[in-house]
């Protein structure tokens, strides 16, 4: 089996089997992966990382080497957070059953979670993954609108089920978009009027759907456009876009799987920075700090028709352990002031990156909010995917874990656990400047 | 909002809000559920059960009343099994990261799991839910065959993503089947030649798909036809059906989400009883004893094209905690001889049901294998959905948890944790005969 990473595999930072400088143990593990897990799995890095332990912002290999994690947003309150682990273990030792029996845990968590949302968003449904949450949102949007048309951004990622994969252009040409899906450019912060441009693009997609006899059902956006390259600003673009899809009878979904749960610093959810009210909000990755729990928050009128026609049961979704674990995560975010830390450390970190960008031409645009930052890697001002890959792998050699993203694959994606400190940021900036000094 | 359980909600044993004899605490919980979780959620029973604790085959309400669990197959090795809980907690306290880094846990589990499959089934991919596993199977089948046609049985259930929900007729008329989906009758054990009839039905569906210009991609069956009413026998029906779909260029998927992991007693997987070799096998519910882990086992040629065109990454799927938890479940199944117990206790339990059926006309057909049994509830020999509902609720009053299934909703579905003992079975039979004695 051969594959061409340049065309069929658009994933930045994917390991190419046979390359890299793996030791004998890791070489054997790669071979076992290929023979056991098959060809659709990908490892990160030119030389993949072998991990055995995590603690806070640090991950460890079998030799005890510590890697600074500046990438993993799942372990959002820190790897192996003791409070989350014991909440999970305690509930698992007590009861782990589902939502067809009465249990207080799922209700207490739903109340606590919904307390973080503006008033009209008062219902929540639980799934196990962000993919399932977005997939459910599609089903609900079809029932509520009677339409099927979906609008996404040009390098969006919304998940891996059949229905959301066909709304995820970032999966590449090997995964075709659905005939009812239109992809529009992500907002361009350098446009004269980014909000007007983005709303016009949404409107053009609506017009094109209608011209094809397809009724628009859903505008689905990651509220920071993570996989498009992270466009956190300006925060004026979502409200007019949401108004446009609503005028056409469709709904607006805020995909908060990446920005949500305080990462933005200024707000719990990315949509709040835009002063827009979504019809539905999907949640995932950091919700259980690694435990598979996700959800969809809704305005009640949106779910009325789906609830009339269908029932929804997700065997593991919202089970007692998921609720207890997610509750502990929310408590840690609140009690340890992690949203505030994201704001403060993120601002300092971003300033440091901006300062480096003045000294090194390889660093182009610096973007981001809170603890979700991006640095474009360029050569002569142009996107340089290969150079970004060199940098990502050089940082890995310096024991800093990161990856690249964006349509051009040239954007460093900096998205550490929210317990990331100013010292951690300083460490990252120091190593990065060392590497840039070598002329990479 | 009104709904009509008879038409839009085909779920047997669903609670109807406003009915039942709930105490004040539970009445308040039901109201909170409606205001927090919305209208698509369903509770079990005329009077829902409020649970706070589980241990082995027992579930407990807040007053300490013990309910014998004869329904829940997720907690397959017993509720709150200490060995499973500590494996999960220990790994969560160590590392919980994903499959893009090298980690031994997922490989060790994959090896152990695949050791339970016949030779050509050598690859496994991990998801979080059975729905995701079946959804992935659909994507893979489309890539491998170039077709889209799917054949399922008339009251099949394969999951809740948009793509598998449209292959799940048991979700009712409110959830339409896809235009590329054909539903055929489940095997009829009373037919003159059940295998020939079932194969002919598969062939007729193939012909109809082709007549509509749809290339067949997948025959998808629960290998015990759980939601059709549990047709474990005869075990001759799957091989000719698999041959028929393969002749038409399609693949055969064994959905083992319900029968798998030893429940059948005689074999680890339902397909093995039929002496048939599937192209893909989906796994779910009992795999992590409540932890959200599921998977898809494949013959390598099936995944070649999908692996060439696409990558697959499931953030939580196959993470280190999922692997450690699932590994503990396999160990418990092996070390506690649970497959043997399913065979032995199941045989005794079935004999007891058959004996009761001779005395009580309300009990019709008794079916099943291992610890998955079914008893049709009839009046004058005809399916009686209302009587089945009365029995299910009467058993709940006797503190035995069970539910009903099948196209007519008149089949008692007996599917306890695999640690179920002969004493537990005797307890069930005793209470059931007491209820039947009252003329129910």
């Amino acid at each position: 089996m051969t594959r061409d990473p340049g065309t069929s595999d658009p994933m930045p930072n994917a390991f190419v089997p046979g390359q890299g400088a793996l030791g004998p143990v890791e070489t054997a593990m790669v071979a076992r992966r290929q023979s056991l897990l098959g060809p659709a799995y990908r490892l990160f890095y030119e030389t993949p990382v072998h991990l055995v332990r995590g603690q806070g912002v640090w991950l460890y290999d079998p030799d005890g080497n510590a890697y600074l994690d500046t990438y993993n947003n799942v372990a959002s309150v820190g790897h192996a957070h003791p409070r989350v682990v014991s909440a999970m273990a305690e509930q698992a030792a007590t009861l782990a059953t589902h939502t067809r029996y009465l249990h207080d845990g799922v209700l207490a968590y739903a109340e606590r979670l919904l307390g973080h949302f503006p008033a009209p968003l008062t219902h929540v449904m639980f799934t196990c993954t962000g993919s399932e949450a977005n997939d459910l949102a599609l089903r609900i949007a079809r029932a509520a609108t009677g339409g099927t048309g979906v609008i996404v951004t040009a390098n969006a990622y919304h998940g891996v089920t059949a229905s959301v994969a066909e709304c995820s252009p970032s999966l590449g040409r090997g995964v075709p978009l659905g005939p009812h899906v239109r992809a529009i450019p992500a907002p361009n912060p350098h446009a004269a009027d980014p909000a007007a441009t983005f709303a016009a693009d949404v409107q053009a997609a609506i017009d094109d759907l209608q011209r094809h006899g397809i009724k628009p059902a859903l505008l689905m956006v990651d509220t920071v456009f993570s996989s498009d390259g992270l466009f956190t600003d300006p925060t004026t673009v979502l409200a007019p876009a949401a108004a446009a899809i609503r005028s056409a009878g469709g709904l607006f979904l805020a995909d908060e799987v990446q920005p949500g749960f305080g990462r933005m610093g200024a707000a719990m959810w990315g949509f709040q920075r835009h002063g827009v009210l979504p019809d539905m909000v999907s949640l995932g990755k950091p919700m259980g700090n690694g435990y598979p729990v996700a959800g969809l928050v809704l305005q009640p009128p949106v779910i009325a028709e789906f609830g009339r026609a269908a029932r929804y049961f997700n065997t593991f979704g919202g089970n007692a352990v998921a609720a207890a674990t997610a509750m502990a995560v929310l408590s840690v975010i609140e009690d340890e002031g992690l949203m505030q830390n994201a704001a403060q450390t993120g601002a300092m970190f971003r300033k440091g990156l901006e300062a480096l960008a003045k000294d090194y031409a390889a660093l182009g645009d610096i973007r981001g909010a809170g603890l979700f930052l991006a640095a474009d890697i360029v050569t002569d001002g142009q996107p340089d995917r290969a150079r970004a890959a060199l940098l990502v792998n050089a940082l890995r050699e310096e024991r800093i874990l990161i990856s690249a993203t964006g349509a051009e694959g040239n954007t460093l994606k900096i998205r550490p656990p929210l317990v990331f400190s100013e010292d951690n940021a300083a460490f990252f900036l120091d190593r990065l400047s060392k590497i840039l000094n070598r002329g990479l």
Side-chain angles (χ1 to χ4, degrees), chain A residues 18-358:
Chain A
Q19 300 185 7
L22 286 166
V25 171
E26 288 72 24
T27 301
M29 288 175 89
V30 167
R32 281 164 80 205
R33 276 177 65 103
Q34 289 181 302
S35 78
L36 294 164
L37 307 184
Y41 275 85
R42 301 284 182 277
L43 285 160
F44 273 147
Y45 297 111
E46 203 176 296
T47 301
V49 181
H50 177 188
L51 298 173
V52 296
R53 193 164 69 80
Q55 196 70 43
V57 295
W58 298 97
L59 289 163
Y60 298 86
D61 73 14
D63 298 324
N65 296 311
Y67 292 77
L68 179 65
D69 186 357
T70 64
Y71 181 72
N72 286 293
N73 60 334
V74 169
S76 188
V77 303
H79 291 280
H81 195 293
R83 199 165 155 191
V84 177
V85 173
S86 40
M88 180 197 312
E90 202 172 299
Q91 185 59 51
T94 308
L95 184 71
T97 200
H98 53 76
T99 54
R100 280 177 173 170
Y101 305 118
L102 288 168
H103 189 266
D104 188 66
V106 67
L107 300 175
Y109 179 65
E111 266 161 7
R112 177 90 170 268
L113 177 68
L114 291 168
H116 287 278
F117 282 87
L121 289 157
T122 55
H123 278 347
V124 58
M125 297 176 74
F126 294 107
T127 65
C128 296
T129 67
S131 293
E132 285 189 339
N134 283 330
D135 190 288
L136 176 59
L138 280 177
R139 294 184 64 196
I140 290 170
R142 287 176 197 153
T145 65
T148 58
V150 178
I151 303 171
V152 296
T153 53
N155 205 46
Y157 175 74
H158 295 293
V160 291
T161 68
S163 296
V164 292
E166 66 180 17
C167 301
S168 295
S170 69
L171 291 173
R173 290 180 174 276
V175 182
L177 297 184
H180 57 289
V181 177
R182 296 295 179 272
I184 61 171
N188 175 5
H190 302 298
D193 186 341
T197 307
F198 190 61
D201 287 337
V202 170
Q203 188 57 51
I206 290 168
D207 294 344
D208 187 59
L209 283 169
Q210 289 172 336
R211 185 63 190 84
H212 287 81
I214 300 168
K215 188 171 177 344
L218 191 65
L219 169 65
M220 196 176 200
V221 296
D222 173 327
T223 58
V224 297
F225 304 94
S226 309
S227 59
D228 282 291
L230 194 68
F231 299 104
T232 47
D233 295 278
T235 57
T236 49
V237 300
L238 290 183
I245 188 74
R246 283 181 182 134
S247 294
L251 301 176
F252 171 56
L253 168 78
D255 182 333
E256 295 283 349
V257 170
Q258 296 204 55
F261 288 98
R263 178 165 296 279
M264 292 299 102
M268 193 71 164
W269 317 110
F271 71 81
Q272 292 174 308
R273 299 175 62 244
H274 285 257
V276 65
L277 191 65
D279 298 292
M280 297 188 275
V281 181
S282 55
L283 310 175
K285 297 190 194 294
M287 193 166 173
N289 212 48
Y291 188 94
V293 54
L296 186 68
V297 172
L298 316 114
Q299 297 196 32
V302 166
I303 181 74
E305 174 56 23
F306 182 84
R308 196 197 58 74
R311 63 182 188 267
Y312 185 78
F313 178 63
N314 187 310
T315 302
F316 307 131
N319 76 63
V321 180
T325 308
M327 186 72 115
V329 170
L330 263 190
S331 298
V332 171
I333 291 173
E334 294 168 13
D335 296 352
E336 298 187 9
L338 295 186
M339 207 163 106
Q340 294 77 354
N341 184 61
Q344 210 170 309
T345 305
M348 172 268 180
F349 199 171
R350 184 178 165 152
K351 268 186 208 145
L353 286 167
E354 285 167 344
L356 278 189
K358 284 186 190 134

